[in-house]
Amino acid sequence: MANEVGLRSERGPILLALMLSTFLIAIDSTILSTAVPTIVRDLGGFDQFPWLFSIYLLAQAASVPVYAKLADTFGRKPVMMFGIGLFLLGSILSALSWNMTALIVFRAVQGLGAGAIMPISMTIAGDIYTVRERAKAQAYIASVWAISSVAGPTLGGVFSQFVSWRWIFWINVPLCLIAAFILRRNYRERFERHRRRIDVAGASLLTAALVLIVLGTLEGGQAWAWGSWQSLGCFGLGAALLVAFVLVERRAEDPVLEPWVFTSRILVTTSIASLVIGVVLIGLTSFVPTFLEITAGAAPVLSGLAVAALTLGWPISGSLAGRVYLRIGFRATAMIGSLITLAGAALLVWFALTPSIPLTALACFVVGLGLGLVANPTLIAAQSSVGTRRRGVASGTNMLARSIGSSVGVAVFGAVANTIIASRGGSSDPGAIQAGTIAVFVGVALGALVLILATVLIPRVTIADEEPSADAAAAPSASDADAAATDVRAASAGPRSTDA
């Protein structure tokens, strides 16, 4: 049973905890959107409600690299438990919010928790499962996204209409407690901890720089003009802090982001792929609902289902990706996925010329199928290229790239769409909305082209017949020397890349 993959196997309870933890983050992205009108009626602050999403993304993106480094230093379990606890605290406080400002602040607390949960969940899966086993494990985790894509909007609407929008957050409480209990009881991590000097200066500079840059991209052109002092201040100060961060990291004993992250070809190319995935996702989820509601007269529920088709296609192909990459390799699988993504984006542009709810949903579904064949293989390839001591940073870098892609994508697409809409007659004109959205879909197609290039540049990776398996209920220990040695795997140790 120890070598099996499934909820009934010895590692089944840990897999269940990872699925529950992932479900917290997956459903959070869909359950809140349908309840926004009810929240605004109750708390007021209509002009502030976009911050409910922005502050969450901001906190999550800025904290990911710090959590990833802490997980590689102190172990996965304490960081994961801290993230679940912080998400639990943020959920309780959000449910008790008395005005929009308080809810926004507490959403930031949730985001800080989510910044630990997502990358560390993936890192734990990489620790306890071999590359071949991860093919099956990813099918279980991918199913969570499929369930949340349907359950999220439904629960959000039910809670806000028949009970209270506050239950959107209360429902997280039992899920957090169950996930934490299962992990604490079953995940017996054996991680060799070393006393190291925590890079407080580097972590602070990186976090502050990311906060300013992501804030500038999220709010530029919306809360303030691109050429305003706010935008110039965010980007200018953010760039200065990044320069200071690089200088500090050169002298740091144990830097937050070590130089090897930027010199590993497989990590750089897979991170670029993850960044583009973030761009494509935000382009569709942000603009498809408005496009269908205004140009095709779709009800909010139907426009939401069109986006749900995207999040449904992803887990379907993601669950099959393991079988594919075991046959043809990570790189070839990701290339096929990127080509399917481009095909879906081309369909979106074509169908947008004559707006149709079913056709748009079909195109979104095709894009989701493509992304599912890119996201999982590239992440697993990145994880497998490093040792246990560095796997957290590899996973965190992947997640950080996706968050940055989302924040930059929403800013760029928003600026392009708003410019075109304003020049065509304003947001009250369906033709203007159609023109602006088509421009966004063209941008998504260009992103898919970049995705193809990134996957082509991924080093060739071969998967040997066997890979040393981690303990069924614990991550294996590894010294720094072991981690350095396993960065370039031997042929008998599973995946190895032709990194230059």
Side-chain angles (χ1 to χ4, degrees):
M1 292 291 287
N3 293 325
E4 294 181 4
V5 178
L7 297 178
R8 295 184 179 181
S9 67
E10 186 173 340
R11 292 167 291 182
I14 303 176
L15 178 60
L16 177 60
L18 297 181
M19 291 174 66
L20 284 174
S21 301
T22 303
F23 183 73
L24 289 169
I25 310 304
I27 199 171
D28 186 82
S29 61
T30 57
I31 194 172
L32 186 61
S33 58
T34 54
V36 165
T38 306
I39 294 174
V40 170
R41 283 199 303 269
D42 190 9
L43 300 181
F46 177 80
D47 57 331
Q48 294 177 291
F49 89 82
W51 273 97
L52 293 176
F53 304 94
S54 298
I55 198 69
Y56 179 89
L57 177 62
L58 183 63
Q60 183 180 14
S63 60
V64 162
V66 177
Y67 287 130
K69 184 63 178 181
L70 291 176
D72 281 347
T73 303
F74 300 106
R76 329 299 192 202
K77 188 173 183 177
V79 178
M80 185 68 170
M81 296 293 285
F82 178 80
I84 293 176
L86 206 55
F87 194 88
L88 172 63
L89 176 63
S91 298
I92 294 173
L93 293 175
S94 296
L96 299 174
S97 298
W98 53 91
N99 57 36
M100 185 63 75
T101 301
L103 181 56
I104 290 171
V105 172
F106 300 146
R107 282 282 289 169
V109 178
Q110 272 193 306
L112 291 174
I117 292 174
M118 274 306 294
I120 308 306
S121 293
M122 295 178 181
T123 304
I124 293 175
D127 285 341
I128 67 173
Y129 293 114
T130 66
V131 172
R132 294 183 179 277
E133 290 172 336
R134 272 175 242 164
K136 296 180 180 179
Q138 285 294 336
Y140 282 90
I141 296 175
S143 68
V144 170
W145 292 93
I147 295 172
S148 65
S149 68
V150 177
T154 303
L155 287 176
V158 169
F159 286 151
S160 59
Q161 183 173 352
F162 299 106
V163 189
S164 169
W165 61 265
R166 299 180 187 273
W167 278 95
I168 289 174
F169 302 104
W170 284 124
I171 195 176
N172 292 332
V173 174
L175 296 176
C176 287
L177 293 176
I178 293 172
F181 175 78
I182 295 175
L183 273 177
R184 186 176 184 276
R185 179 171 180 149
N186 296 279
Y187 184 36
R188 297 180 295 277
E189 181 180 31
R190 291 198 304 269
F191 194 90
E192 188 177 333
R193 295 171 177 82
H194 295 271
R195 290 194 175 188
R196 297 181 176 183
R197 186 187 300 274
I198 299 177
D199 185 16
V200 177
S204 301
L205 287 171
L206 179 61
T207 301
L210 289 175
V211 166
L212 288 170
I213 292 173
V214 174
L215 176 64
T217 54
L218 285 173
E219 298 302 319
Q222 312 235 6
W224 52 68
W226 285 110
S228 66
W229 67 267
Q230 293 97 328
S231 286
L232 296 177
C234 284
F235 291 118
L237 184 55
L241 290 177
L242 279 181
V243 172
F245 168 73
V246 172
L247 297 176
V248 168
E249 294 301 273
R250 287 182 176 180
R251 299 182 179 181
E253 179 181 336
D254 188 25
V256 174
L257 284 181
E258 299 181 46
W260 64 265
V261 173
F262 305 99
T263 57
S264 171
R265 181 178 162 192
I266 192 167
L267 285 182
V268 171
T269 51
T270 53
S271 294
I272 292 174
S274 184
L275 185 145
V276 176
I277 289 172
V279 171
V280 172
L281 280 176
I282 201 67
L284 300 189
T285 56
S286 299
F287 290 91
V288 166
T290 302
F291 165 69
L292 291 178
E293 289 174 23
I294 294 181
T295 63
V301 174
L302 291 178
S303 64
L305 288 176
V307 177
L310 168 71
T311 56
L312 185 61
W314 181 320
I316 289 176
S317 61
S319 64
L320 300 174
R323 297 180 183 179
V324 178
Y325 73 63
L326 288 176
R327 288 178 176 270
I328 64 176
F330 296 120
R331 175 184 169 185
T333 304
M335 288 174 61
I336 293 173
S338 61
L339 289 171
I340 294 176
T341 302
L342 177 60
L347 288 176
L348 275 170
V349 176
W350 183 24
F351 294 156
L353 297 175
T354 53
S356 165
I357 300 172
L359 293 179
T360 301
L362 174 62
C364 287
F365 181 75
V366 174
V367 172
L369 289 176
L371 294 180
L373 290 175
V374 178
N376 290 348
T378 53
L379 172 63
I380 295 174
Q383 288 180 335
S384 303
S385 69
V386 299
T388 304
R389 181 65 66 179
R390 295 179 171 183
R391 192 169 290 145
V393 169
S395 302
T397 302
N398 189 280
M399 290 293 96
L400 175 63
R402 189 180 300 179
S403 296
I404 291 175
S406 295
S407 59
V408 171
V410 73
V412 174
F413 288 148
V416 171
N418 289 336
T419 300
I420 294 177
I421 291 171
S423 65
R424 297 292 184 93
S427 58
S428 59
D429 185 354
I433 296 294
Q434 182 181 13
T437 306
I438 289 176
V440 171
F441 291 164
V442 170
V444 169
L446 293 176
L449 289 174
V450 176
L451 187 61
I452 293 174
L453 178 61
T455 55
V456 168
L457 294 176
I458 293 176
R460 291 183 180 274
V461 174
T462 57
I463 303 175
D465 291 335
E466 293 182 2
E467 178 185 357
S469 177
D471 187 277
S477 62
S479 64
D480 291 341
D482 293 333
T486 52
D487 278 349
V488 181
R489 300 289 185 96
S492 60
R496 55 183 173 83
S497 70
T498 56
D499 248 0

